[in-house]
C-alpha cells in the first residue's frame, strides 16, 4: 500500500513525488508530465527526474477511486490492462472544466506583430516573433470545437503570421475555492498555483493542503 | 453466447455476459485515429458508413501529426489518401510552419465534415465477442465507461491492442531475446529561421509493461538537447513517443521474409510495400538468420525490397468482425521493419475501408467478400498498381560521402562467369546473393576464384561459398577474423559491414569450431578495444556518430558472441569453454564500459546489455539441455 496516490503528473505532483519518493504512486493518462502550465510548448525535461524515486505510471487511465477500511483503492487501466492499487491518501492534482472559471485553447504563432484577433488574447513567447495566442472557448467546449475556433482565427492570419503549434491541452483558469476535500480525496489542481515553481514547491514542502 | 474479453494484470480473461445496452450502434468503430486509423475512419464515412473513431490522445493523425513525423520514408505513392495530403499541404503552405500541425487541423476537419463521431481521451478496455466475431467494445471515456456496438471494428492502435484483448493470436519482438526496435522521441527545433523536427532513438522498451514504458517515457523526456545543436533550440517535445515496433497479428495470410526471398508472392495483394528492411537497432547480430544472411552475410541491409501485402494480412486468424489495418498486420518481424512506413499505413487504411464497405453493403462476413471486388476498387483509386511491384532496388537519397545517389533496379547475376567482376569490387553483395540464388552449380566457379591472387576476389568469394553452406573457404574467413579485417564494404548507402564482422557471422553460421579460441580472445581480452581497427578515422559509415559509443568494437563483440552461441549449439563439447568465456567476459560491467559510456536505458546501453543477455541465455539454455 502506498502512502499517497497522486492523480496527474503535474508540477504539484512532482513536488509531492519528491517528498514521498517510493511511498508515492503517480498516475497519469498522458505520456508526459507538467503539461498543465505549458501545454505543448517548451521542453519540460527538468521535471522528469523529480518522478524518478516515486512509482510513476504514464499512459494509465484512472477508472475509479473507492474508499476502503484502510484508505483508498484505485482501479487503473494501462498497457497491461486493469490493475488495482491501494493507498492511505489520494490527491487529485488534475484540472477539469468543472473546477475552472474559464479556459482557452492556445496556439504558438510566429508573427511580425502582436497577433490581435477578436476573442483572443496573447502573451509574448520565448523567441523573437513568437506569441502564445489564446483562443477563449466556453468551458463546455471540446477539442474539436476548440480547433474549429482556432481554425477561424488561423484563416485570418496575415501573410507574415504562421502557426507553429497547437496545444494538446486546454489552458484552465481555476476557481478560487481549492483545495477541497470530497469523500476523503483532496482535490487541488496544480494549475491553482500561479506558476509551476509555486506548484512544485507546495508539493515538495507538504503545503498542498494549506494553500 | 456473448463473451466479454478484458485484460487484468497483463492476462486476457474471457467471461460470458448478457448483451449490454449498447450506447450507440455504428457500422464501423475505428480504434486509434493515427496515420492509418484517421484515414480508415474518413474513407469509411465517405463510403456512407456510420463511423465512431476512438482516440486516446486529443487529436487525430498520430505519428504523422502529434508525433512530428512530417515526411515519409519510401513506400509507393497512390490512392485515396492523396486528396487529403494535398489539402494538408495546401494549408501548410499558407498558414503553418510545419506540415504535421496542418495535418492535425485539416485531417480532423475532414473527419468531422464526413460525419465521423470522434471520441478523444478514450481507451478500449473490453471487447464483446459472439463466437469468434467481434461485435462491440467497452470504452473508458471522460463520461465514464461506455459500450458501443459495431458491425466491424478496426484495430488501428499499431499494437494490435484490441485484437489482443479479443484473444487473437499475436507475436512480438525478436526470437532470440524478445527485444523490439528502439523507440524515439521527436522534438521541434527552431534555429531562428527554420523549424525542423529531430528524431532521437533512445532505447528499447517493452511497451506492454506499464512500469517499463513509464520509465522509458521519463528517460526520453528528461534528455536535454545540448545548446548549440545544429537545428537550434527546442520549441517542444512531441506529446507521443515514437514506438517503432509492437505486436503483430497472426492473420489469415501472413507474409515472411522467407516467402520474399523465395519469390513467393500472394496472388491477392491489397498494395505493394517498398522500403529496405529498416532496422534501427545496430545489434543486427541478434536478429536471426534470414535477415542476417541478407544484411550481414551479403551486406545488402539497405537494399530496397518490394512486398506484396495480401488483403487477408489484416484479418486475424479464425476471427471475423475485426480488421487490423495498421503496422500490426500479419507479417513476420523481419518484414515488419519494411511494411510499416507511412505510405503503407495510408494504403492499408483504404483497403480496410473498402473491404468493410463491401461486407456491410452485401450483408456478408468479412471473409465472405470476394477479392476481385476489393481489387477492382483498389486498382481504380491507384492504391494497388502492378507497376509498384518493383522487386529489389538500390534506392535512396544520398551516399555516405554525400555524392548524388543513383537509383536503379537490381539485376541479379545469373551467369556464374559474371560473378567475378562484382566479387572483386568493394561492393560484392549482389554477387554474394546471386551465388545463393544460383545455388550449388556456382561452386566450381567459386572454387576457381578462391585461388585468385586478388585479395577482394578471394575474400568475397569466401562469403559466396559460405552463403551456399560450403565450409571450403573457412580458412580464409578465419584469417579475416584473426587480422580483424576492418575494411567497410560499400554496397549500401548506410549500415555497411566490416569484412571481419562478416567473416565472424559466416563462421558462426557454418558452426566452425576452429575459430572458437579466437572469438573467445576477442570477447575476453580487455586490450582488444585498443586495436587500430576500432579506431579507424574517416571510415565510411552512416551509422550515427554517437559520443561515448564505439560501434566498430560493438559490431565485432556482438557478432562474436552470436557466433559462439551458434558454434556451441552445434558442438556440445565446446559449450563448457564457451560458457566459461561468457562468464569471464560479462561477469562485471567492464565489457559495457569498453563499448559505451552512455546510460543503460539509452539505445547504445541497451544494445551493450543485449550482448550479455544473449550470452547468459545461451548458458541457461545449455544447462537445461544437460
Amino acid at each position: 500500500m502506498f502512502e499517497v496516490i497522486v492523480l496527474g503528473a503535474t508540477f504539484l505532483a512532482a513536488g509531492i513525488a519528491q517528498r514521498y519518493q517510493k511511498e508515492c504512486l503517480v498516475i497519469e493518462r498522458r505520456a508526459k508530465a507538467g503539461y498543465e502550465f505549458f501545454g505543448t510548448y517548451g521542453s519540460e525535461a527538468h521535471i522528469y527526474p523529480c518522478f524518478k524515486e516515486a512509482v510513476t505510471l504514464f499512459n494509465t487511465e484512472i477508472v475509479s477511486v473507492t474508499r476502503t477500511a484502510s484508505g483508498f483503492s484505485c482501479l487503473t487501466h494501462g498497457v497491461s490492462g486493469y490493475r488495482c492499487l491501494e493507498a492511505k491518501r489520494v490527491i487529485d492534482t488534475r484540472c477539469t472544466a468543472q473546477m475552472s472559471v474559464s479556459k482557452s485553447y492556445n496556439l504558438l504563432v510566429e508573427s511580425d506583430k502582436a497577433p490581435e484577433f477578436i476573442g483572443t488574447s496573447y502573451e509574448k513567447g520565448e523567441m523573437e516573433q513568437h506569441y502564445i495566442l489564446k483562443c477563449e472557448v466556453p468551458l463546455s467546449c471540446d477539442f474539436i470545437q476548440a480547433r474549429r475556433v482556432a481554425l477561424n482565427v488561423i484563416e485570418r492570419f496575415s501573410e507574415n503570421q504562421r502557426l507553429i503549434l497547437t496545444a494538446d491541452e486546454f489552458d484552465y483558469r481555476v476557481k478560487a475555492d481549492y483545495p477541497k476535500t470530497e469523500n476523503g480525496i483532496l482535490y487541488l489542481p496544480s494549475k491553482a498555483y500561479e506558476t509551476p515553481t509555486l506548484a512544485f514547491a507546495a508539493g515538495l514542502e507538504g503545503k498542498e493542503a494549506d494553500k | 453466447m456473448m463473451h466479454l474479453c478484458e485484460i487484468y494484470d497483463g492476462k486476457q480473461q474471457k467471461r460470458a455476459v448478457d448483451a449490454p445496452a449498447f450506447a450507440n450502434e455504428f457500422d464501423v468503430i475505428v480504434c486509434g485515429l493515427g496515420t492509418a486509423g484517421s484515414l480508415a475512419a474518413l474513407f469509411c464515412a465517405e463510403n456512407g458508413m456510420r463511423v465512431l473513431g476512438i482516440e486516446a490522445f486529443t487529436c487525430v493523425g498520430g505519428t504523422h501529426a502529434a508525433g512530428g513525423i512530417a515526411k515519409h520514408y519510401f513506400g509507393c505513392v497512390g490512392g485515396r489518401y492523396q486528396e487529403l495530403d494535398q489539402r494538408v499541404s495546401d494549408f501548410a503552405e499558407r498558414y503553418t510552419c510545419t506540415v504535421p500541425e496542418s495535418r492535425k487541423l485539416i485531417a480532423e476537419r475532414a473527419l468531422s465534415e464526413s460525419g465521423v463521431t470522434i471520441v478523444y481521451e478514450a481507451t478500449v478496455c473490453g471487447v464483446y465477442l459472439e463466437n469468434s466475431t467481434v461485435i462491440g467494445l467497452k470504452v473508458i471515456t471522460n463520461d465514464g465507461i461506455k459500450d458501443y456496438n459495431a458491425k466491424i471494428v478496426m484495430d488501428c492502435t499499431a499494437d494490435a491492442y484490441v485484437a489482443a484483448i479479443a484473444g487473437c493470436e499475436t507475436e512480438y519482438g525478436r526470437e532470440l531475446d524478445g527485444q523490439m526496435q528502439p523507440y524515439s522521441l521527436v522534438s521541434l527545433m527552431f534555429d531562428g529561421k527554420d523549424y525542423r523536427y529531430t528524431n532521437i532513438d533512445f532505447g528499447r522498451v517493452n511497451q506492454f509493461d506499464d512500469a517499463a514504458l513509464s520509465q522509458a517515457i521519463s528517460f526520453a523526456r528528461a534528455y536535454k538537447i545540448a545548446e548549440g545543436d545544429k537545428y537550434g533550440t527546442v520549441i517542444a517535445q512531441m506529446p507521443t513517443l515514437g514506438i517503432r515496433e509492437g505486436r503483430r497479428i497472426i492473420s489469415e495470410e501472413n507474409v515472411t521474409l522467407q516467402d520474399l526471398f523465395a519469390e513467393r508472392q500472394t496472388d491477392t495483394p491489397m498494395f505493394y510495400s517498398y522500403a529496405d528492411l529498416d532496422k534501427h537497432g545496430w545489434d543486427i547480430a541478434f536478429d536471426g538468420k534470414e535477415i542476417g544472411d541478407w544484411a550481414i552475410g551479403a551486406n545488402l541491409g539497405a537494399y530496397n525490397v518490394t512486398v506484396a501485402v495480401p488483403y487477408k494480412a489484416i484479418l486475424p486468424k479464425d476471427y471475423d468482425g475485426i480488421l487490423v489495418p495498421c503496422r500490426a498486420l500479419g507479417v513476420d518481424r523481419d518484414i515488419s521493419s519494411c511494411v510499416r512506413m507511412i505510405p503503407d499505413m495510408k494504403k492499408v487504411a483504404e483497403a480496410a475501408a473498402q473491404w468493410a464497405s463491401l461486407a456491410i453493403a452485401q450483408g456478408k462476413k468479412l471473409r465472405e467478400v470476394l477479392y476481385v471486388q476489393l481489387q477492382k476498387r483498389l486498382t481504380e483509386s491507384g492504391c494497388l498498381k502492378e507497376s509498384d511491384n518493383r522487386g529489389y532496388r538500390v534506392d535512396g537519397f544520398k551516399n555516405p560521402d554525400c555524392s548524388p545517389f543513383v537509383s536503379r533496379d537490381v539485376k541479379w547475376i545469373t551467369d556464374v562467369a559474371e560473378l567475378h567482376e562484382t566479387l572483386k569490387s568493394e561492393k560484392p553483395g549482389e554477387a554474394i546473393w546471386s551465388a545463393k540464388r544460383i545455388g550449388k552449380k556456382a561452386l566450381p566457379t567459386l572454387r576457381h576464384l578462391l585461388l585468385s591472387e586478388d585479395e577482394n576476389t578471394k575474400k568475397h568469394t569466401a562469403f559466396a561459398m559460405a552463403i551456399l553452406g560450403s565450409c571450403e573457404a573457412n580458412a580464409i574467413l578465419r584469417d579475416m577474423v584473426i587480422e580483424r579485417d576492418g575494411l567497410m564494404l560499400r554496397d549500401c548507402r548506410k549500415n555497411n559491414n566490416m569484412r571481419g564482422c562478416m567473416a565472424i557471422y559466416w563462421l558462426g553460421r557454418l558452426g566452425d569450431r576452429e575459430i572458437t579460441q579466437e572469438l573467445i580472445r576477442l570477447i575476453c581480452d580487455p586490450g582488444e578495444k585498443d586495436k587500430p581497427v576500432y579506431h579507424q578515422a574517416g571510415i565510411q559509415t552512416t551509422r550515427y556518430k554517437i559520443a561515448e559509443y564505439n560501434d566498430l568494437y560493438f559490431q565485432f563483440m556482438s557478432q562474436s558472441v552470436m557466433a559462439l552461441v551458434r558454434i556451441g549449439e552445434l558442438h556440445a563439447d565446446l559449450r563448457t569453454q564457451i560458457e566459461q568465456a561468457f562468464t569471464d567476459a560479462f561477469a562485471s560491467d567492464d565489457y559495457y564500459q569498453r563499448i559505451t559510456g552512455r546510460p543503460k536505458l539509452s539505445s547504445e546501453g541497451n544494445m551493450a546489455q543485449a550482448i550479455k543477455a544473449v550470452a547468459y541465455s545461451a548458458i541457461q539454455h545449455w544447462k537445461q539441455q544437460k
Side-chain angles (χ1 to χ4, degrees):
Chain A
M1 176 180 282
F2 291 94
E3 184 64 33
V4 59
I5 289 179
V6 183
L7 309 185
T10 59
F11 275 91
L12 177 64
I16 299 170
Q18 280 251 300
R19 181 155 55 97
Y20 285 97
Q21 306 224 339
K22 286 184 171 55
E23 293 180 332
C24 174
L25 168 69
V26 180
I27 305 173
E28 172 55 56
R29 92 181 337 172
R30 306 259 184 266
K32 58 181 186 170
Y35 50 81
E36 75 276 21
F37 283 96
F38 296 116
T40 297
Y41 328 116
S43 167
E44 292 84 61
H46 57 283
I47 194 177
Y48 292 92
C50 303
F51 292 103
K52 199 174 171 185
E53 295 304 321
V55 178
T56 306
L57 296 177
F58 289 103
N59 277 22
T60 301
E61 291 279 356
I62 296 132
V63 181
S64 65
V65 180
T66 48
R67 283 201 93 148
T68 63
S70 52
F72 293 88
S73 173
C74 195
L75 183 65
T76 65
H77 190 275
V79 290
S80 40
Y82 286 108
R83 280 175 82 178
C84 198
L85 299 152
E86 296 190 330
K88 292 179 191 161
R89 295 168 59 205
V90 174
I91 305 173
D92 192 343
T93 70
R94 302 168 299 171
C95 190
T96 63
Q98 292 74 28
M99 296 170 155
S100 306
V101 287
S102 66
K103 70 178 183 183
S104 62
Y105 184 69
N106 298 354
L107 315 173
L108 183 65
V109 301
E110 184 183 270
S111 176
D112 59 343
K113 59 181 182 195
E116 291 178 335
F117 298 93
I118 294 167
T120 71
S121 59
Y122 66 85
E123 279 175 17
K124 183 73 189 75
E126 285 184 14
M127 306 272 183
E128 196 184 338
Q129 296 201 342
H130 282 192
Y131 294 87
I132 294 171
L133 184 59
K134 302 183 170 198
C135 304
E136 290 301 320
V137 293
L139 280 168
S140 60
C141 183
D142 64 20
F143 282 102
I144 300 169
Q145 293 161 335
R147 277 190 281 267
R148 219 170 278 155
V149 171
L151 268 166
N152 279 334
V153 172
I154 295 164
E155 286 173 339
R156 284 185 280 141
F157 277 2
S158 73
E159 280 297 317
N160 296 321
Q161 292 174 322
R162 287 281 187 284
L163 172 71
I164 303 168
L165 283 171
T166 50
D168 46 44
E169 306 294 337
F170 285 110
D171 182 3
Y172 289 103
R173 263 76 71 186
V174 179
K175 289 174 187 168
D177 48 358
Y178 287 94
K180 250 186 197 174
T181 301
E182 281 174 25
N183 299 321
I185 301 171
L186 176 67
Y187 289 91
L188 176 52
S190 178
K191 197 69 199 298
Y193 294 89
E194 267 180 53
T195 66
T197 312
L198 288 173
F200 176 76
L204 187 64
E205 292 161 17
K207 292 181 179 169
E208 70 273 0
D210 311 331
K211 183 187 169 291
Chain B
M1 171 70 78
M2 187 181 289
H3 285 91
L4 174 62
C5 305
E6 294 166 310
I7 295 183
Y8 287 86
D9 270 334
K11 292 187 181 66
Q12 194 247 9
Q13 293 183 10
K14 183 177 174 184
R15 61 188 160 97
V17 291
D18 294 329
F22 286 112
N24 286 97
E25 185 167 330
F26 293 89
D27 291 320
V28 174
I29 300 176
V30 180
C31 307
L33 296 173
T35 309
S38 58
L39 288 168
L42 176 66
F43 300 149
C44 284
E46 286 178 349
N47 283 3
M49 288 184 273
R50 204 158 164 248
V51 182
L52 170 68
I54 293 168
E55 169 57 44
F57 192 49
T58 58
C59 71
V60 302
T63 298
H64 210 15
I69 301 296
K71 296 176 183 170
H72 64 80
Y73 183 80
F74 295 113
C76 300
V77 175
R80 279 172 75 174
Y81 72 84
Q82 288 177 291
E83 189 188 328
L84 180 65
D85 274 9
Q86 189 59 52
R87 285 173 67 184
V88 169
S89 169
D90 290 347
F91 189 83
E93 180 88 8
R94 169 63 187 85
Y95 295 110
T96 68
C97 295
T98 70
V99 175
E101 280 307 310
S102 172
R103 184 171 302 279
K104 213 188 268 185
L105 297 165
I106 298 308
E108 183 183 79
R109 180 187 263 179
L111 263 69
S112 296
E113 286 171 355
S114 66
V116 176
T117 302
I118 300 172
V119 182
Y120 285 128
E121 301 180 298
T123 305
V124 176
C125 59
V127 176
Y128 289 100
L129 281 179
E130 246 173 23
N131 299 317
S132 55
T133 300
V134 173
I135 58 153
L137 299 174
K138 188 175 269 298
V139 182
I140 301 167
T141 75
N142 281 338
D143 299 322
I145 293 182
K146 302 210 165 173
D147 294 307
Y148 296 105
N149 179 215
K151 296 187 177 97
I152 292 168
V153 167
M154 292 191 189
D155 178 348
C156 298
T157 58
D159 246 341
Y161 187 68
V162 179
I165 296 177
C168 303
E169 193 182 347
T170 62
E171 58 184 8
Y172 67 88
R174 62 185 174 198
E175 196 182 345
L176 195 65
D177 58 5
Q179 295 269 14
M180 288 177 272
Q181 291 223 53
Y183 68 93
S184 63
L185 179 64
V186 176
S187 292
L188 179 62
M189 312 283 289
F190 180 55
D191 65 2
K193 185 167 170 262
D194 294 315
Y195 297 86
R196 292 190 187 91
Y197 291 97
T198 63
N199 190 356
I200 299 176
D201 284 0
F202 280 94
R204 290 189 165 102
V205 60
N206 176 359
Q207 68 259 33
F208 312 121
D209 177 314
D210 43 19
L213 178 63
S214 299
Q215 192 182 31
I217 289 169
S218 286
F219 177 74
R221 291 200 178 282
Y223 180 79
K224 289 178 187 160
I225 294 176
E227 292 280 326
D229 185 273
K230 63 179 177 178
Y231 288 162
T233 306
V234 176
I235 299 288
Q237 291 177 338
M238 294 300 103
T240 53
L241 280 197
I243 302 277
R244 208 170 258 112
E245 180 183 345
R247 288 189 198 94
R248 301 176 312 280
I249 58 163
I250 304 302
S251 63
E252 286 290 330
E253 186 175 352
N254 264 51
V255 188
T256 67
L257 188 57
Q258 264 184 324
D259 292 333
L260 181 79
F261 288 157
E263 308 211 334
R264 287 190 295 267
Q265 270 198 346
T266 180
D267 51 9
T268 56
M270 56 181 161
F271 65 91
Y272 292 96
S273 174
Y274 173 71
D276 57 298
L277 302 173
D278 183 39
K279 295 281 183 196
H280 276 243
W282 305 325
D283 52 355
I284 192 160
F286 307 136
D287 273 336
K289 292 175 187 173
E290 285 296 330
I291 196 167
D293 286 3
W294 171 256
I296 308 162
N299 195 42
L300 295 177
Y303 269 43
N304 281 13
V305 300
T306 304
V307 182
V309 184
Y311 80 114
K312 284 189 178 171
I314 59 175
L315 179 62
K317 194 169 187 308
D318 301 329
Y319 277 73
D320 212 295
I322 181 168
L323 292 174
V324 186
C326 62
R327 67 152 187 235
L329 48 71
V331 293
D332 75 1
R333 179 172 189 265
D334 292 334
I335 293 231
S336 73
S337 57
C338 166
V339 189
R340 67 181 179 92
M341 304 307 169
I342 282 170
D344 295 344
M345 297 303 99
K346 292 174 175 177
K347 289 188 168 199
V348 79
E350 178 178 341
Q354 296 292 24
W355 190 356
S357 304
L358 287 164
I360 289 169
Q362 296 169 9
K364 289 181 174 173
K365 283 185 168 287
L366 285 162
R367 61 186 62 243
E368 292 168 351
V369 172
L370 296 175
Y371 170 69
V372 286
Q373 296 173 323
L374 178 61
Q375 182 189 31
K376 182 170 180 288
R377 289 191 178 192
L378 297 178
T379 306
E380 280 169 359
S381 74
C383 177
L384 176 62
K385 297 197 294 282
E386 195 45 41
S387 58
D388 290 339
N389 194 2
R390 294 189 282 179
Y392 298 90
R393 278 175 58 79
V394 176
D395 214 341
F397 318 103
K398 64 178 182 188
N399 286 309
D401 61 3
C402 294
S403 60
F405 196 94
V406 180
S407 300
R408 62 177 172 85
D409 291 336
V410 174
K411 295 210 175 359
W412 299 114
I413 299 164
T414 53
D415 181 351
V416 288
E418 291 175 12
L419 290 173
H420 185 202
E421 191 61 26
T422 307
L423 284 175
K424 72 182 182 189
S425 73
E426 289 185 4
K427 296 180 176 180
E430 287 183 30
I432 297 168
W433 198 256
S434 294
K436 177 185 163 86
R437 292 168 63 94
I438 292 167
K440 301 276 185 199
K441 69 180 182 190
L443 282 173
T445 303
L446 295 175
R447 280 187 194 114
H448 177 70
L449 291 175
L450 274 184
L451 304 173
S452 170
E453 292 291 311
D454 176 65
E455 186 187 5
N456 281 352
T457 302
K458 199 166 65 175
K459 290 179 170 178
H460 302 163
T461 300
F463 295 145
M465 298 285 284
I467 208 168
L468 286 167
S470 166
C471 298
E472 292 171 62
N474 281 14
I476 297 170
L477 296 174
R478 278 181 224 123
D479 286 344
M480 281 189 256
V481 179
I482 292 163
E483 73 174 270
R484 307 288 190 267
D485 190 334
L487 180 80
M488 184 76 78
L489 294 182
R490 298 192 299 112
D491 295 282
C492 294
R493 61 187 165 78
K494 64 173 186 178
N495 297 349
N496 282 305
N497 290 284
M498 286 172 289
R499 228 160 31 189
C501 284
M502 294 169 68
I504 295 171
Y505 173 78
W506 280 121
L507 289 167
R509 283 281 278 118
L510 296 170
D512 182 70
R513 58 185 300 139
E514 288 180 44
I515 199 63
T516 307
Q517 292 308 322
E518 185 61 31
L519 297 182
I520 287 175
R521 263 193 295 279
L522 195 153
I523 63 165
C524 291
D525 178 12
E528 173 73 20
K529 71 164 183 6
D530 300 323
K531 292 192 169 162
V533 63
Y534 308 122
H535 305 280
Q536 303 175 70
I539 193 163
Q540 250 189 11
T541 169
T542 53
R543 282 202 176 100
Y544 303 117
K545 303 284 186 298
I546 303 282
E548 298 183 84
Y549 168 67
N550 189 330
D551 188 58
L552 305 181
Y553 180 57
F554 172 78
Q555 292 303 327
F556 270 86
M557 276 284 275
S558 56
Q559 292 294 352
S560 296
V561 166
M562 195 61 230
L564 285 167
V565 171
R566 286 183 172 136
I567 290 166
E569 282 294 316
L570 215 61
H571 305 288
D573 61 307
L574 293 175
R575 288 179 189 171
T576 305
Q577 55 179 304
I578 294 173
E579 284 176 25
Q580 186 58 52
F582 285 166
T583 309
D584 292 345
F586 307 122
S588 79
D589 263 0
D590 291 353
Y591 88 94
Y592 181 99
Q593 302 297 335
R594 295 200 294 273
I595 293 168
T596 184
R598 294 181 54 73
K600 292 199 169 171
L601 282 174
S602 68
S603 204
E604 298 73 30
N606 186 283
M607 289 189 296
Q609 291 175 95
I611 290 181
K612 181 175 176 174
V614 166
Y616 277 33
S617 109
I619 294 175
Q620 198 63 30
H621 175 59
W622 293 337
K623 275 189 180 143
Q624 281 166 0
Q625 281 190 350
K626 273 182 199 165

